[in-house]
Amino acid sequence: MRISYFCFVWAALAGMSGMALGLYMGIAEDHTLAPSHAHLNLLGWVTMMLYGLYHRGAPQDASALRWVQVSLGGAGFIGFAAGLGVYLESGSTTFFPVLQAGVIGCMASMALFIFILVRDAARLGLTRTEMLMDPSFGI
């Protein structure tokens, strides 16, 4: 499977899950899980989609680093949203390790993404100014 489609599939699943959770909260008129819903949509749907779009057009290499980066992002948003949801619903700190692992996974994924972006820019010979100002970089 191409890395971009891996990201797109996870993003779509997160988007559908976020919509279902939003629908459930609306029907139940109980918005206790709103923070979990927001993190599911932002980290799952939006972030994974953006990762996929970048990796679809990025200069490719044989490095497993890209797969590590998106796998950490996928596992991270699931752990973050699920751990937060369980905590908000039950008040129990039993799932705090899952929540913490999710946060660490998301942050590690973003740190690796930044590294990959800078590395790809350097491989293309872009200067710092071009990296920050060129709207076509990565597209």
Side-chain angles (χ1 to χ4, degrees):
M1 174 182 278
R2 290 180 52 184
I3 194 166
S4 56
Y5 287 103
F6 174 85
C7 293
F8 296 154
V9 167
W10 277 107
L13 290 171
M16 181 60 79
S17 299
M19 288 178 190
L21 182 56
L23 181 63
Y24 164 78
M25 289 187 307
I27 291 171
E29 295 182 7
D30 178 4
H31 294 85
T32 304
L33 296 174
S36 182
H37 165 74
H39 283 88
L40 184 61
N41 284 325
L42 182 59
L43 294 174
W45 168 237
V46 176
T47 303
M48 290 302 288
M49 184 61 72
L50 291 173
Y51 287 163
L53 289 173
Y54 177 78
H55 287 298
R56 182 176 65 179
Q60 298 299 308
D61 58 16
S63 170
L65 187 62
R66 294 176 191 275
W67 278 104
V68 170
Q69 184 263 316
V70 298
S71 296
L72 278 170
F77 88 76
I78 291 169
F80 193 163
L84 183 60
V86 169
Y87 170 70
L88 292 171
E89 190 66 29
S90 68
S92 170
T93 59
T94 305
F95 280 83
F96 261 23
V98 174
L99 173 59
Q100 291 168 333
V103 170
I104 291 168
C106 288
M107 293 194 70
S109 177
M110 187 57 73
L112 283 174
F113 187 64
I114 292 166
F115 175 80
I116 290 168
L117 284 171
V118 171
R119 185 186 65 178
D120 288 349
R123 285 183 179 168
L124 292 172
L126 297 177
T127 65
R128 287 185 194 126
T129 305
E130 289 172 321
M131 279 190 265
L132 297 174
M133 303 304 281
D134 184 3
S136 67
F137 174 63
I139 298 176

